[in-house]
Amino acid sequence: MNARSEFDTLAPEFSLRINGSPLPNDAAADLIDVVVLEDVDAMSMFTFSLTCYDSAEMKVKWVDDAIFREGNPVEIEIGYRDNKRTIFSGEITGLEPTFLEGNPPTLTVRGYDRRHRLARERKTRSYTNVKDSDIASQLAASAGLKPQADDTRVTLPYLLQHNQTDLEFLLARARRIDYEVVVDDRMLIFRPRKIDGDAVLTLRREIELLDFRPRMTTMGQVEELLVKGWNPKDKKEIVGRASASDVTSLMAGKASGASSVSHLFGKSGSASVVSAVQSQDDADAVAKQRFGEMALGYIRGDGQCIGDPKLRAGIVVKIEGIGERFSGHYYVTSTEQRFSPKKGYRTRFAARRNAT
């Protein structure tokens, strides 16, 4: 072991299972790399690439092999010999062979998590007297997934899915109330975005954290946000409000971007957004979501660390050793896990923070 981690980072390993069986040894010997991409606002994706030429037989191999057929389930574990975790479960959706002059042919196998089943067909349909969590459960079941939806509480009289895939519609509903749509194997999870949770892991500069580029800006930060709608039944305006006082988690910082703007530049006014809200509770929820999203754009960062299977999109990490203002908790919005037999295991990530 070394000072970088609780496990042996000198021995990175991966395990790739297709149709429930390990990747054959001769295919593993041809492996070039394995990449898993995660994003809180999109489907997770994997690729793995192999050399696909048999120099003894002088012919292309693997391209026509049944193991790499579309639709085959794929499970990827990655980590180290004493700490491997499953970071992807999904299905093969495409093959990309490459034939270049002067280079051996390669085959890239590509696939997505099972949210891709919700992205196949555009639909137009309406829903009445439902909660967003009810819609999530209904759409998950229609795609053959087991739903796990946190109750969203607000019942909406009418919703229209207009020429959208089920995934587009569900992601739009989730963003509107600061929820996430996550798939864990065959379970679809519809849950609040948690930026106030405990840090899953700590990344220390020049130990686990190899490089990090945070960017802080006050542009776009305001102290109050209004969401305005109209109630056709009562013929009255609906106004939802959110302000700096609604930022309940400062992510181990001292002041949010919204409150800093007020102190530095004086009253910043309010942003007014017209939205199709259907009740006061709905308007308040949308206002708080949009304010929280704006606040979370105060600091954006990109980094790379020694590969860690615990570093996943949607978690909170603690970053240390980059100064008092920028050290603290960050919400991870996307990750790239990359393993190569020649280059080892590295994790790239993007993260946001609402305070310094």
Side-chain angles (χ1 to χ4, degrees):
M1 293 189 181
N2 56 45
R4 293 179 183 272
S5 173
E6 297 177 354
F7 43 85
D8 188 354
T9 59
L10 298 178
E13 293 182 359
F14 84 100
S15 173
L16 199 159
R17 301 178 68 87
I18 304 176
N19 276 335
S21 300
L23 187 69
N25 290 335
D26 48 352
D30 287 330
L31 187 78
I32 299 171
D33 62 14
V34 178
V35 180
V36 174
L37 303 175
E38 288 187 310
D39 192 299
V40 294
D41 294 317
M43 294 182 290
S44 298
M45 182 186 76
F46 79 88
T47 65
F48 60 87
S49 300
L50 313 102
T51 302
C52 63
Y53 190 72
D54 188 331
S55 56
E57 297 288 336
M58 301 292 287
K59 66 179 183 180
V60 171
K61 62 178 178 178
W62 302 128
V63 173
D64 300 311
D65 201 289
I67 194 174
F68 300 132
R69 294 294 185 190
E70 306 92 305
N72 285 351
V74 172
E75 185 176 283
I76 299 173
E77 287 185 343
I78 202 165
Y80 303 89
R81 61 186 176 189
D82 51 359
N83 184 43
K84 283 198 300 182
R85 295 193 177 201
T86 300
I87 62 168
F88 183 88
S89 178
E91 295 165 318
I92 295 174
T93 60
L95 303 177
E96 301 171 12
T98 301
F99 305 95
L100 299 177
E101 182 180 7
N103 292 284
T106 60
L107 173 66
T108 297
V109 181
R110 185 182 303 275
Y112 294 90
D113 68 41
R114 290 178 175 83
R115 278 175 290 187
H116 77 83
R117 298 183 180 191
L118 296 166
R120 294 288 173 179
E121 178 186 357
R122 293 190 173 276
K123 303 172 183 177
T124 297
R125 58 186 173 187
S126 60
Y127 303 83
T128 56
N129 297 319
V130 293
K131 295 180 286 189
D132 285 316
S133 51
D134 298 331
I135 293 174
S137 297
Q138 178 180 331
L139 296 182
S142 69
L145 302 175
K146 182 180 178 180
Q148 181 180 304
D150 287 15
D151 192 346
T152 52
R153 297 185 179 86
V154 178
T155 299
L156 304 167
Y158 178 81
L159 290 175
L160 177 65
Q161 178 180 348
H162 177 61
N163 193 34
Q164 296 169 291
T165 66
D166 288 345
L167 183 60
E168 287 174 334
F169 181 59
L170 189 55
L171 287 173
R173 298 306 306 172
R175 284 192 293 268
R176 194 171 183 271
I177 56 174
D178 210 23
Y179 265 52
E180 298 173 334
V181 181
V182 180
V183 164
D184 182 4
D185 193 16
R186 297 178 184 275
M187 178 179 291
L188 185 140
I189 304 168
F190 191 69
R191 67 189 183 194
R193 182 169 294 180
K194 297 179 180 178
I195 67 170
D196 56 351
D198 295 333
V200 174
L201 70 158
T202 299
L203 302 176
R204 298 164 291 177
R205 178 175 172 265
E206 296 185 345
I207 301 179
E208 298 89 1
L209 190 63
L210 302 177
D211 59 68
F212 189 60
R213 298 167 300 280
R215 303 172 298 280
M216 183 270 287
T217 178
T218 60
M219 299 303 294
Q221 298 289 312
V222 296
E223 61 181 344
E224 184 182 33
L225 186 144
L226 307 182
V227 169
K228 296 182 178 181
W230 182 256
N231 186 328
K233 182 178 179 180
D234 298 334
K235 294 183 172 53
K236 292 182 178 179
E237 184 181 48
I238 303 172
V239 180
R241 287 182 168 84
S243 63
S245 61
D246 291 304
V247 180
T248 56
S249 172
L250 297 181
M251 306 182 76
K254 295 180 179 178
S256 68
S259 62
S260 296
V261 164
S262 177
H263 292 307
L264 291 170
F265 306 118
K267 185 174 177 60
S268 57
S270 63
S272 180
V273 180
V274 177
S275 181
V277 293
Q278 303 185 39
S279 67
Q280 188 62 54
D281 288 343
D282 188 27
D284 291 340
V286 173
K288 289 179 180 179
Q289 182 277 328
R290 295 193 177 184
F291 193 90
E293 187 73 14
M294 176 271 296
L296 202 55
Y298 184 41
I299 299 176
R300 298 171 185 258
D302 300 283
Q304 179 180 210
C305 66
I306 290 176
D308 194 321
K310 294 184 293 184
L311 184 51
R312 309 288 299 275
I315 70 166
V316 173
V317 298
K318 184 179 181 181
I319 294 181
E320 294 182 347
I322 58 173
E324 183 178 346
R325 297 188 70 194
F326 287 96
S327 294
H329 288 185
Y330 284 78
Y331 173 71
V332 179
T333 58
S334 65
T335 61
E336 176 191 281
Q337 309 272 7
R338 182 180 293 270
F339 174 88
S340 167
K342 292 184 177 180
K343 298 182 179 180
Y345 176 29
R346 292 289 184 267
T347 303
R348 288 194 167 275
F349 65 97
R352 297 183 187 181
R353 192 169 186 232
N354 61 12
T356 57

